Amino acid sequence: MKTLALVFCLMVTAALSARAQSASGLRFYLSTGATVPVASAYFDNFSGDRTPGVSLGAGIGYAFTPGSSFFIRYDYNRFWYDKKSYSTTDHQNGVDVFTNDNLKRAMAIKGLYKLTLFPGRPVAAPYLIAGIGAIQLNERYGVLGVSEAGAVTAEVTYQYWEAIVALGGGINFKIHPHLNLILEARFDIIADRNDEVQFVPLKVGLEF
């Protein structure tokens, strides 16, 4: 962990040095945080379960003006819950059947436009962010049959891609002329095959 922290600090220091010697509008982005499920009638675990997951992100962008920039971002979201729901009873064989349909991971590539309000503020400036992209959903579907003879399980993991729309905002905290600490919340809406999946990444990050 200490080695990773040292490498991260060296990367940021090198980037700041390069930025200080260049008038380029190139920007870099790193983040971590939590992902909070909002709604989905399709996934069992989104029905009343608001257990947060983990979110990691990275990106590269270009600042056209002090208040206007565009980013290409990669986001990885990991969900921790594992909820089973009662499905049916097979009376002929005396088996109670439970199903488990859980979204485990979501990885997205998005193009995002960032509009900073009051960019001239010396310390903190709010911003709005919006964009579209593609997301890969990694879902695990399982069936558990329980009878007097014992339990029988079957499990399948599959992946598929969907379109995503992201809307959000945050605050830039200037801690160096070329380094901002960012607090951000986004509302990610996914056009799922059977229903809409929605979750809110809560981010803390660096933009440099």
Side-chain angles (χ1 to χ4, degrees):
M1 184 62 71
K2 291 182 179 179
T3 302
L4 290 176
L6 178 60
V7 171
F8 178 80
C9 290
L10 290 174
M11 289 174 60
V12 173
T13 301
L16 289 175
S17 177
R19 291 275 296 135
Q21 300 174 26
S22 172
S24 171
L26 197 64
R27 306 291 290 173
F28 299 94
Y29 168 86
L30 295 171
S31 71
T32 186
T35 298
V36 181
V38 176
S40 174
Y42 177 58
F43 292 106
D44 294 336
N45 49 12
F46 277 30
S47 300
D49 190 337
R50 298 294 181 266
T51 304
V54 174
S55 181
L56 301 172
I60 186 171
Y62 188 85
F64 302 102
T65 69
S68 176
S69 56
F70 179 81
F71 280 86
I72 300 295
R73 285 195 195 174
Y74 169 82
D75 283 309
Y76 174 84
N77 297 280
R78 178 68 166 91
F79 302 96
W80 300 113
Y81 33 63
D82 189 11
K83 179 181 177 182
K84 294 179 174 62
S85 60
Y86 175 76
S87 178
T88 185
T89 298
D90 183 345
H91 296 285
Q92 181 176 354
N93 298 306
V95 177
D96 291 328
V97 179
F98 297 83
T99 59
N100 180 334
D101 198 359
N102 289 304
L103 179 65
K104 307 307 292 183
R105 292 187 299 274
M107 295 171 283
I109 297 289
K110 297 185 290 291
L112 297 168
Y113 176 74
K114 179 180 177 181
L115 177 64
T116 302
L117 309 176
F118 317 112
R121 286 188 174 180
V123 179
Y127 65 87
L128 302 175
I129 195 164
I132 59 174
I135 188 166
Q136 183 192 72
L137 303 174
N138 184 298
E139 181 185 347
R140 187 177 67 189
Y141 178 78
V143 177
L144 169 65
V146 180
S147 68
E148 294 181 357
V152 178
T153 62
E155 186 174 280
V156 177
T157 299
Y158 54 93
Q159 301 173 343
Y160 55 96
W161 288 88
E162 294 291 349
I164 184 171
V165 176
L167 302 171
I171 302 177
N172 288 328
F173 294 94
K174 188 177 293 294
I175 57 179
H176 182 276
H178 301 293
L179 178 64
N180 290 332
L181 175 68
I182 291 176
L183 298 181
E184 181 180 295
R186 278 200 328 271
F187 186 44
D188 286 354
I189 306 172
I190 304 168
D192 187 66
R193 298 166 302 166
N194 298 300
D195 203 345
E196 288 186 347
V197 180
Q198 303 168 8
F199 53 92
V200 177
L202 304 174
K203 298 275 197 175
V204 57
L206 295 175
E207 184 181 308
F208 49 91

